[in-house]
Amino acid sequence: MTELRAAGRRLEGYAALFGSEARIGSFVETIAPGAFRSALAGDVLALLDHNEGQVLGRTRSGTLRLTEDSRGLAFSLDLPDTAAGRDVLALAQRDDLGGMSFGFKVPRGGDDWHGEKRTLRTINLKEISVVSSWPAYPDTEIALRSRGHDGHTLRRRRALILAEVARAIG
């Protein structure tokens, strides 16, 4: 368990899991281990529903922390005391969030195609998003970390939407 911030407003989990399949139109996509490695050094945003006007955090300021482990792209996000941050907190407490997603570009040579199956090997990560709708990937996790009256952590299982696929392919 990670340390709780004084405000008790931390969201954490996985924005992407390696090997999990998503059906994107006519093809199936998976993410290979190590795909995010080079992207972790850049400034990545945390957004609400991929909306650039609703920033929840960023790696540059330290309010978003990203790591790649054996399971996938793990995140820890300190939610801001803004309208968007309060909305995410309220939805997480009610278990109403749809899951996590991420926006990215694939550099030349960063993916492999085998028939109708695409494997992402290198991803230029731009943002991760807390989403309020339906996910494409069924296996990621999102959990709210806060101080409840009993001190227990709320845990929630969620899924991932692969964002901006058309832009990444094009």
Side-chain angles (χ1 to χ4, degrees):
M1 178 198 267
T2 60
E3 179 181 337
L4 297 174
R5 293 184 56 82
R9 300 169 56 92
R10 180 172 290 171
L11 197 64
E12 56 187 32
Y14 285 85
L17 289 177
F18 301 134
S20 180
E21 291 187 348
R23 177 152 298 280
I24 311 293
S26 64
F27 65 94
V28 174
E29 186 168 77
T30 61
I31 304 165
F36 297 100
R37 189 175 304 126
S38 64
L40 298 180
D43 185 28
V44 179
L45 297 174
L47 305 176
L48 176 57
D49 289 322
H50 300 288
N51 183 339
E52 296 169 359
Q54 294 190 20
V55 175
L56 298 172
R58 68 187 319 148
T59 56
R60 183 181 71 205
S61 68
T63 55
L64 171 64
R65 290 158 304 283
L66 298 170
T67 56
E68 186 180 76
D69 62 20
S70 62
R71 292 184 65 202
L73 180 64
F75 75 93
S76 178
L77 171 63
D78 301 329
L79 292 170
D81 189 16
T82 62
R86 289 187 297 274
D87 287 350
V88 168
L89 181 62
L91 290 170
Q93 289 171 335
R94 291 169 33 126
D95 199 21
D96 285 341
L97 290 174
M100 293 299 297
S101 182
F102 59 99
F104 66 98
K105 292 185 178 182
V106 178
R108 179 169 285 176
D111 58 354
D112 294 328
W113 285 90
H114 298 286
E116 297 300 311
K117 185 170 182 180
R118 179 187 194 196
T119 302
L120 299 171
R121 303 223 175 268
T122 304
I123 295 172
N124 291 337
L125 187 64
K126 302 300 181 189
E127 52 95 1
I128 67 168
S129 279
V130 176
V131 294
S132 54
S133 59
W134 299 277
Y137 283 86
D139 297 327
T140 58
E141 292 181 359
I142 185 172
L144 175 66
R145 300 285 189 216
S146 64
R147 291 192 181 133
H149 296 295
D150 60 2
H152 286 80
T153 303
L154 299 174
R155 279 237 168 254
R156 289 172 180 79
R157 190 108 172 116
R158 287 291 183 231
L160 157 79
I161 294 174
L162 182 60
E164 302 176 23
V165 172
R167 187 176 80 185
I169 294 171

